[in-house]
Amino acid sequence: MAPTQPKSAIPVLYEDNHVLVVVKPVNMPTQEDESGDRDLLTALKDDLKVRHNKPGNVFLGLVHRLDRPVGGAMVFAKTSKAASRLADAVRTRTFGKSYLAVVHGSPKHSAGRLVHHLLKDSRTNTVTAVPAGTAGAKEAILDYEVIGQADGLTLVKVMLLTGRSHQIRVQFATIGCPLYGDQRYGAGRNKTGQQIALWSVLVSFDHPTRAERLSFESSPPADYPWTLWTDRMPTPLK
């Protein structure tokens, strides 16, 4: 009988020779940062090395990022060819990313598009919405749809059209609906210790080496405020 392959410590949604799709844990950096805390990219490389008994350095390409406090579906490239083609998909907006977020209050419309110009201060790692034409600012676009309302909170589905730093958090805070638990952009509405309610629920992309569209879903943990809308989640809460 062939030996059982070791199970990954990070939940794996899909894996083949070119692509790795996982569920990023909350409060884990996507890649190495100044905190020195263990990051997802390094953890996955170490995991691949053990599970596949790979000698030397393991290649794993970062296709997109999630903020440290955010969890959910995330895609990595296992080959340089896949990394290049997936990067092109992100640039041409054929790489689909959908999120669920819980915000305070309610957007003015039940569905719509938010367009802002965002400026990042690398020194403080904060992002601000500024007037169009501001030097260094980048256009940020997202579409949203209200899914449910309860306890003075609103569950929204968010489709990113651009991938700016802290984009969802800043754009909703700018319209007066900061995310539940967001200590950086909603400190006045949130309590210390609350976990930000933002989750990557869907990633979809064309496979880098074959003519096939792939989609993968992930639901947030079974914690408040997500449990207010258990029946609206793409997969059962765990």
Side-chain angles (χ1 to χ4, degrees), residues 33-72:
D33 62 15
E34 66 280 355
S35 72
D37 294 339
R38 186 157 176 78
D39 64 279
L40 182 59
L41 184 61
T42 300
L44 290 174
K45 286 182 178 182
D46 291 345
D47 180 67
L48 288 170
K49 190 178 181 70
V50 171
R51 287 196 296 116
H52 298 303
N53 194 24
K54 286 181 173 286
N57 294 326
V58 173
F59 177 87
L60 194 64
L62 190 62
V63 176
H64 61 119
R65 293 170 175 78
L66 292 177
D67 292 347
R68 178 172 180 145
V70 180

Side-chain angles (χ1 to χ4, degrees), residues 13 24-25 57 69 72-73 81 114 142 144 158 179 219 228:
L13 297 176
K24 176 190 174 295
N57 294 326
K81 177 186 288 187
L114 300 182
L142 63 79
Y144 73 87
V158 181
L179 269 62
S219 282
L228 292 170

Side-chain angles (χ1 to χ4, degrees), residues 63-94:
V63 176
H64 61 119
R65 293 170 175 78
L66 292 177
D67 292 347
R68 178 172 180 145
V70 180
M74 195 167 178
V75 182
F76 292 83
K78 293 177 64 178
T79 63
S80 56
K81 177 186 288 187
S84 176
R85 293 181 178 177
L86 289 171
D88 284 342
V90 171
R91 280 194 295 271
T92 58
R93 301 182 184 177
T94 59

Side-chain angles (χ1 to χ4, degrees), residues 113-124:
R113 172 168 291 185
L114 300 182
V115 181
H116 294 95
H117 288 79
L118 304 183
L119 182 65
K120 182 173 183 178
D121 184 337
S122 298
R123 182 180 55 83
T124 60

Side-chain angles (χ1 to χ4, degrees), residues 97-175:
K97 294 177 285 185
S98 295
Y99 298 78
L100 285 177
V102 178
V103 304
H104 288 280
S106 178
K108 185 176 180 180
H109 303 289
S110 61
R113 172 168 291 185
L114 300 182
V115 181
H116 294 95
H117 288 79
L118 304 183
L119 182 65
K120 182 173 183 178
D121 184 337
S122 298
R123 182 180 55 83
T124 60
N125 193 29
T126 55
V127 178
T128 307
V130 297
T134 300
K138 296 180 179 179
E139 187 178 52
I141 308 171
L142 63 79
D143 290 336
Y144 73 87
E145 176 186 359
V146 170
I147 303 298
Q149 295 177 311
D151 281 8
L153 302 171
T154 300
L155 177 69
V156 292
K157 181 179 180 181
V158 181
M159 290 69 72
L160 278 184
L161 280 75
T162 56
R164 310 306 182 198
S165 182
H166 301 181
Q167 178 177 340
I168 295 172
R169 301 162 65 184
V170 176
Q171 288 197 269
F172 277 99
T174 300
I175 66 167

